[in-house]
């Protein structure tokens, strides 16, 4: 009963501090009348990590921080930066979560690539607090545990993401499109942790077409508990193919109408997560792209 009231008050507060610069909406990083004299992205990251922003607000924050319409530019290569080019790993915590919640998969992947390629010590998985993206020979600042966990956490969310508002369990929500090029090695995810139990899946795009069409095969393994206590929003398997449009899906050898060509998803509502489907259907998903 309390949560909806907090949600209402949160957005009432946000709406009192939003400003407009032309068509751009500028959201404040704090509720204070006087904003920080040296703004960073960290306040926005904390807002994004709350799971309580709308997709429109998330898109606004990303667009404004990627330019200088609302103040200093705070994102470089889609990642929080200090002094124009120093990628900041502590300030990033929460950005990727918001981008995935708003289904901004390409923006998520840009941030993931920039962070893993440029924000870590070269040749290791050790993360400094910040590093200069324009000159990697510039000494980085001290080690930070907050940056250390970014890349592995992003990998987990890319493969398995729990949407907080609808309680939907997403599988492969933001995998790079090239991973499903025909003949590429399968995407294999094993024992991913969720609040509903561990899940595993394999997604394969065979090199040989079937009937002249590009086809993707998936084997999804869910624990038996999904049949009795499923996610309220069901399960959505995304197939981010490099080209083509999702035209038909079969599950367990039978035609499956619950898919979205626009969102590239095979959808399994909570009511359809039966023991029989978990056993005989989800391990045999075939998607055809026209």
């Amino acid at each position: 009963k309390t949560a909806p009231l907090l949600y209402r008050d949160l957005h009432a507060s946000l709406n009192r501090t939003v400003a407009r610069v032309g068509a751009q909406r500028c959201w404040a990083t704090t509720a204070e009348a006087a904003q920080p004299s040296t703004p960073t992205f960290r306040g926005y990251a904390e807002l994004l990590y709350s799971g309580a922003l709308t997709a429109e607000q998330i898109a606004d924050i990303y667009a404004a921080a990627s330019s200088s319409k609302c103040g200093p530019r705070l994102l470089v290569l889609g990642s929080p930066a200090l002094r124009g080019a120093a990628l900041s790993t502590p300030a990033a915590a929460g950005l990727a979560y918001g981008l995935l919640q708003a289904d901004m998969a390409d923006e998520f992947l840009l941030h993931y690539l920039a962070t893993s390629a440029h924000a870590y010590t070269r040749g290791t998985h050790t993360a400094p607090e910040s590093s200069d993206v324009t000159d990697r020979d510039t000494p980085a600042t001290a080690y930070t545990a907050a940056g250390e966990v970014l890349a592995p956490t992003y990998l987990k969310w890319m493969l398995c993401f729990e949407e907080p508002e609808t309680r939907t369990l997403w599988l492969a929500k933001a995998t790079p499109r090239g991973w499903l090029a025909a003949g590429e090695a399968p995407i294999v995810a094993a024992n991913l942790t969720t609040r509903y139990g561990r899940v595993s899946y394999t997604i394969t795009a065979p090199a040989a077409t079937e009937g002249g069409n590009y086809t993707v095969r998936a084997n999804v393994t869910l624990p038996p508990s999904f049949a009795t206590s499923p996610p309220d929003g069901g399960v959505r398997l995304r197939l981010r193919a490099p080209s083509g449009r999702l035209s038909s899906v079969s599950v367990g050898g039978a035609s499956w109408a619950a898919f979205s060509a626009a969102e590239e998803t095979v959808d399994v509502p909570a009511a359809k997560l039966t023991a029989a489907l978990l056993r005989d259907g989800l391990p045999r998903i075939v998607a055809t792209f026209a």
Side-chain angles (χ1 to χ4, degrees):
K1 293 180 180 179
T2 304
L5 301 178
L6 292 172
Y7 186 89
R8 183 197 65 190
D9 289 349
L10 169 67
H11 282 272
S13 175
L14 286 168
N15 290 330
R16 287 181 180 179
T17 57
V18 67
R20 285 185 177 271
V21 178
Q24 179 66 58
R25 283 182 294 268
C26 303
W27 298 92
T29 58
T30 77
E32 303 297 327
Q35 295 298 298
S37 57
T38 54
T40 72
F41 195 82
R42 187 160 189 166
Y44 289 128
E46 292 168 354
L47 283 166
L48 292 164
Y49 207 2
S50 72
L53 297 187
T54 66
E56 184 179 49
Q57 288 169 327
I58 293 170
D60 284 345
I61 290 172
Y62 186 86
S66 298
S67 67
S68 55
K69 292 182 179 178
C70 297
R73 182 177 178 180
L74 301 177
L75 295 179
V76 172
L77 294 178
S79 300
L82 305 172
R83 301 178 301 279
L87 298 189
S88 171
T89 53
L95 169 60
Y97 189 88
L99 293 176
L100 281 176
Q101 184 185 5
D103 209 8
M104 299 171 66
D106 290 331
E107 290 82 356
F108 164 81
L109 286 170
L110 174 62
H111 170 48
Y112 188 3
L113 172 63
T115 298
S116 58
H118 299 295
Y120 280 71
T121 302
R122 190 177 299 168
T124 76
H125 287 155
T126 303
E129 185 172 336
S130 66
S131 55
D132 194 313
V133 72
T134 60
D135 182 5
R136 291 307 304 271
D137 291 327
T138 298
T141 54
Y143 165 84
T144 175
E148 185 86 358
V149 299
L150 288 183
T153 302
Y154 291 175
L155 177 61
K156 162 66 187 306
W157 288 343
M158 181 206 325
L159 297 172
C160 181
F161 183 76
E162 298 178 54
E163 209 289 325
E165 294 281 357
T166 63
R167 299 297 187 190
T168 301
L169 178 62
W170 284 82
L171 304 180
K173 186 172 189 178
T175 54
R177 293 191 183 279
W179 287 10
L180 285 182
E184 278 291 322
I187 300 173
V188 180
N191 294 319
L192 297 170
T193 55
T194 76
R195 72 183 65 204
Y196 313 100
R198 292 181 179 267
V199 303
S200 301
Y201 62 84
T202 301
I203 308 175
T204 307
T209 61
E210 299 182 19
N213 291 318
Y214 166 76
T215 302
V216 174
R217 294 180 173 273
N219 179 335
V220 176
T221 303
L222 305 178
S225 58
F226 270 65
T228 54
S229 301
D232 290 343
V235 176
R236 302 195 84 183
L237 170 66
R238 171 161 279 162
L239 302 173
R240 281 172 49 88
S243 62
R245 182 177 176 83
L246 184 59
S247 58
S248 65
V249 173
S250 68
V251 175
S255 179
W256 188 263
F259 70 90
S260 171
E263 297 187 81
E264 304 174 290
T265 57
V266 178
D267 304 322
V268 187
K272 292 190 175 182
L273 285 167
T274 62
L277 186 74
L278 267 59
R279 183 185 63 246
D280 303 323
L282 296 185
R284 295 190 295 136
I285 299 174
V286 180
T288 301
F289 291 76

